[in-house]
């Protein structure tokens, strides 16, 4: 039986929901169809948002021979078969190849397309749910235009579900589908922006719903919930979305927004990604809170250890404690700036030798090499401080640590100024 999603697949841009930033009036994909000058394109976005549909519509607007491959099961031999037909009379105007899930092609497979996409014999439209800048071979990427597809809104999905219900009624002729719009809104909300998933769930709901005394199909919220399962979550531990969520998680804590931080923690908890959460919290404690609240890392370490011992679902509690602590703590990035600037100098300039009096002198013959000679032992001086040069001569005036403006670092700054002034 043909899936309902295929039965109602749009055949023109006017029927497509969402992606108005690409297909709206006067927008780029609409203009491309109007001119019929189709470039090599890569469609990037989550599943079920219209990538395949729009590719099919574009293919229908050209006079090129159309081929469709899925990179999950296609091979170089499949591409060679298409190449062998390039001189065929049916391919005289060229070939348009739609390659779904291109991220599953390795470098060699992607390279096999290069010559033909460059000379125009093959026009490539590839789609991927992964960031193409990470997964598509650079030479092929440079010959293509990348278009990002966005998740569909609940309102967009409801429009398509209403269309699907109408299509079912037309097919069944004398049978009506009784379905409150709130049920369609639930199906849309539950799909996580994936239209195909919401239509598939609707189809299952229609098949399992009972008929009322009038012989009409009556859908209830209980049946819709039973057929939909858990709400879809757009998260892949190995995918692009993984890093997007982690990035938003850290930036929310850095921005002192406990609500945003807890939201992204919840996404990570839902995905069961305990290792990534714990690792990122330890990083944040040093990178973003740092010397403004040095004890934060100890507290976070205790929360992380507790979470690792507890496992989910209880791990969410100490993790939430750590997140709220960090989000509401004073912030300083002076430590990461200091080490990164020092590393930058090592990479870019000749920093020179360690001063002789700072070199190790704990071995026989060290004095003959002038090691340690002239070193001033700070504990022998007032306030355990004496002025002497510690940096190599080539960078003796370098300043790496710049204290942040917070209580802890202002106190440390005052102490350093005090001992230096007293010991002048």
């Amino acid at each position: 039986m043909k899936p309902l999603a295929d039965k109602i697949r749009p055949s023109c841009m006017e029927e497509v929901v969402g992606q108005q930033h690409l297909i709206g009036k006067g927008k780029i994909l609409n203009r491309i169809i109007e001119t019929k000058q189709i470039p090599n394109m890569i469609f990037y976005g989550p599943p079920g948002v219209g990538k395949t549909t729009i590719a099919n519509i574009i293919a229908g607007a050209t006079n090129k021979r159309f081929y469709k491959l899925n990179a999950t099961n296609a091979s170089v031999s499949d591409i060679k078969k298409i190449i062998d037909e390039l001189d065929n009379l049916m391919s005289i105007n060229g070939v348009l190849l739609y390659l779904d899930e291109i991220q599953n092609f390795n470098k060699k497979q992607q390279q096999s397309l290069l010559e033909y996409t460059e000379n125009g014999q093959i026009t490539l439209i590839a789609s991927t749910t992964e960031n193409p800048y990470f997964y598509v071979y650079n030479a092929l990427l440079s010959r293509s235009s990348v278009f990002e597809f966005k998740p569909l809104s609940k309102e967009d999905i409801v429009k398509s579900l209403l269309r699907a219900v109408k299509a079912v009624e037309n097919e069944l002729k004398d049978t009506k589908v009784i379905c409150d719009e709130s049920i369609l809104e639930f199906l849309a909300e539950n799909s996580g922006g994936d239209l195909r998933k919401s239509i598939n769930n609707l189809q299952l709901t229609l098949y399992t719903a009972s008929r009322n005394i009038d012989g009409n199909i009556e859908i209830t919220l209980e049946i819709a919930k039973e057929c939909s399962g858990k709400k879809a979550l757009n998260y892949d531990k190995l995918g692009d979305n993984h890093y997007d969520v982690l990035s938003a998680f850290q930036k929310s804590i850095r921005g002192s927004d406990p609500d945003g931080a807890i939201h992204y923690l919840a996404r990570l908890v839902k995905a069961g990604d305990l290792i990534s959460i714990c690792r990122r919290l330890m990083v944040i404690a040093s990178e973003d809170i740092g010397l403004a609240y040095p004890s934060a890392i100890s507290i976070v370490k205790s929360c992380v250890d507790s979470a690792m011992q507890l496992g989910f679902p209880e791990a969410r509690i100490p993790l939430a404690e750590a997140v709220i602590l960090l989000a509401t703590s004073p912030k300083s990035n002076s430590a990461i700036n200091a080490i990164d600037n020092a590393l930058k100098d090592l990479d870019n300039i000749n920093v020179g030798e360690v001063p002789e009096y700072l070199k190790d002198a704990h071995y026989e013959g060290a004095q003959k090499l002038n090691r340690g000679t002239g070193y001033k032992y700070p504990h022998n001086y007032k306030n355990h401080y004496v002025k002497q040069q510690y940096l190599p001569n080539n960078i003796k005036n370098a300043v790496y640590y710049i204290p942040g403006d917070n209580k802890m670092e202002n106190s440390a700054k005052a102490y350093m100024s005090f001992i230096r002034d007293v010991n002048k």
Side-chain angles (χ1 to χ4, degrees):
M1 183 180 293
K2 190 175 182 180
L4 182 56
D6 288 338
K7 289 180 182 179
I8 68 163
R9 188 182 292 277
S11 57
C12 62
M13 286 295 190
E14 289 72 25
E15 294 176 349
V16 177
V17 297
Q19 314 309 333
Q20 291 304 299
H21 64 294
L22 297 176
I23 65 171
K25 187 176 180 180
K27 298 300 182 181
I28 188 162
L29 290 184
N30 230 325
R31 299 200 307 271
I32 284 173
I33 290 179
E34 288 174 1
T35 62
K36 297 186 179 180
Q37 300 299 314
I38 314 297
N40 297 310
M41 297 184 285
I42 297 174
F43 292 171
Y44 157 51
V49 296
K51 299 188 297 295
T52 302
T53 295
I54 291 175
N56 287 336
I57 293 171
I58 291 174
T62 71
N63 57 358
K64 297 176 182 290
R65 189 167 186 187
F66 182 57
Y67 292 91
K68 184 176 179 180
L69 295 177
N70 190 304
T72 56
N73 51 32
S75 63
V76 172
S77 62
D78 294 307
I79 295 174
K80 285 181 178 177
K81 288 177 184 176
I82 296 172
I83 292 170
D84 290 341
E85 294 186 22
L86 287 175
D87 295 326
N88 189 301
L89 280 175
M90 294 183 69
S91 305
I92 194 168
N93 293 313
V95 162
L96 192 149
L97 169 63
Y98 177 62
L99 181 59
D100 198 12
E101 304 293 346
I102 190 175
Q103 76 273 9
N104 291 306
F105 261 13
N106 60 35
K107 183 177 178 180
K108 182 180 178 182
Q109 289 171 312
Q110 292 186 36
Q111 281 178 319
S112 66
L113 292 166
L114 278 177
E115 177 186 347
Y116 305 96
T117 56
E118 192 164 34
N119 64 23
Q121 287 183 283
I122 292 179
T123 299
L124 175 69
I125 301 180
S127 69
T128 175
T129 55
E130 304 293 348
N131 192 324
Y133 295 98
F134 297 154
Y135 289 90
V136 178
Y137 178 49
N138 280 340
L140 191 59
L141 192 63
S142 68
R143 291 163 173 78
S144 308
S145 299
V146 177
F147 298 100
E148 183 176 4
F149 284 58
K150 305 291 186 181
L152 298 178
S153 68
K154 181 175 71 174
E155 292 73 22
D156 286 333
I157 294 176
V158 168
K159 286 180 188 175
S160 287
L161 292 178
L162 286 168
R163 186 163 165 258
V165 168
K166 200 65 169 173
V168 170
E169 288 182 331
N170 290 339
E171 190 175 273
L172 297 175
K173 294 185 172 37
D174 296 327
T175 303
K176 295 289 184 184
V177 175
I178 301 171
C179 177
D180 190 85
E181 192 165 321
S182 63
I183 296 173
L184 300 183
E185 289 176 355
F186 165 77
L187 291 170
E189 190 74 47
N190 192 259
S191 69
D194 185 336
L195 178 57
R196 187 187 304 111
K197 177 180 172 61
S198 65
I199 295 174
N200 289 342
N201 287 340
L202 173 64
Q203 186 171 22
L204 181 58
T205 303
L206 289 167
Y207 287 159
T208 56
S210 58
R211 295 185 178 240
N212 62 18
I213 56 174
D214 298 321
N216 295 320
I217 298 172
E218 189 167 356
I219 297 175
T220 64
L221 183 58
E222 289 69 30
I223 294 173
K225 286 181 177 179
E226 188 180 357
C227 293
S228 298
K230 289 185 177 181
K231 182 178 178 181
L233 182 67
N234 185 19
Y235 188 85
D236 179 358
K237 287 184 183 180
L238 301 177
D240 189 42
N241 190 256
H242 165 79
Y243 298 102
D244 289 342
V245 174
L246 283 173
S247 176
F249 179 55
Q250 180 164 0
K251 287 170 181 171
S252 297
I253 294 176
R254 181 184 296 151
S256 300
D257 186 341
D259 298 310
I262 284 291
H263 167 76
Y264 291 111
L265 172 65
R267 289 197 186 195
L268 295 163
V269 168
K270 272 284 189 182
D273 199 356
L274 182 56
I275 298 298
S276 291
I277 299 170
C278 292
R279 182 181 180 278
R280 189 57 62 109
L281 286 173
M282 295 295 291
V283 169
I284 294 168
S286 293
E287 179 180 347
D288 296 304
I289 283 73
L291 294 169
Y293 184 18
S295 299
I297 193 168
S298 300
I299 300 171
V300 169
K301 179 64 165 63
S302 295
C303 291
V304 163
D305 288 346
S306 297
M308 293 296 286
Q309 288 180 352
L310 289 169
F312 287 129
E314 289 83 359
R316 75 190 190 283
I317 305 168
L319 292 176
E321 181 183 346
V323 166
I324 294 170
L325 171 76
L326 294 177
T328 57
S329 292
K331 307 296 189 292
S332 173
N333 65 345
S334 58
I336 187 175
N337 286 343
I339 185 61
D340 284 354
N341 286 333
L343 289 168
K344 185 178 178 181
D345 276 358
L346 290 176
D347 289 337
N348 293 287
I349 63 176
N350 177 14
V351 296
E353 289 286 317
V354 175
E356 294 293 338
Y357 53 86
L358 295 182
K359 291 182 178 179
D360 180 27
H362 295 88
Y363 58 90
E364 188 176 348
Q367 286 186 335
K368 293 180 181 179
L369 296 173
N370 205 32
R371 301 293 192 262
T373 303
Y375 172 61
K376 298 174 184 177
Y377 187 57
H379 296 300
N380 290 338
Y381 295 83
K382 187 177 180 179
N383 296 314
H384 304 270
Y385 174 80
V386 61
K387 184 176 181 180
Q388 67 184 325
Q389 179 185 322
Y390 291 95
L391 285 167
N393 283 330
N394 290 6
I395 55 169
K396 64 181 181 180
N397 296 318
V399 176
Y400 296 119
Y401 172 59
I402 300 174
D405 186 13
N406 56 76
K407 183 178 179 180
M408 289 296 298
E409 289 186 272
N410 283 335
S411 176
K413 183 179 179 182
Y415 167 73
M416 295 299 293
S417 296
F418 168 73
I419 61 172
R420 288 169 180 169
D421 287 342
V422 169
N423 287 272
K424 279 183 179 178

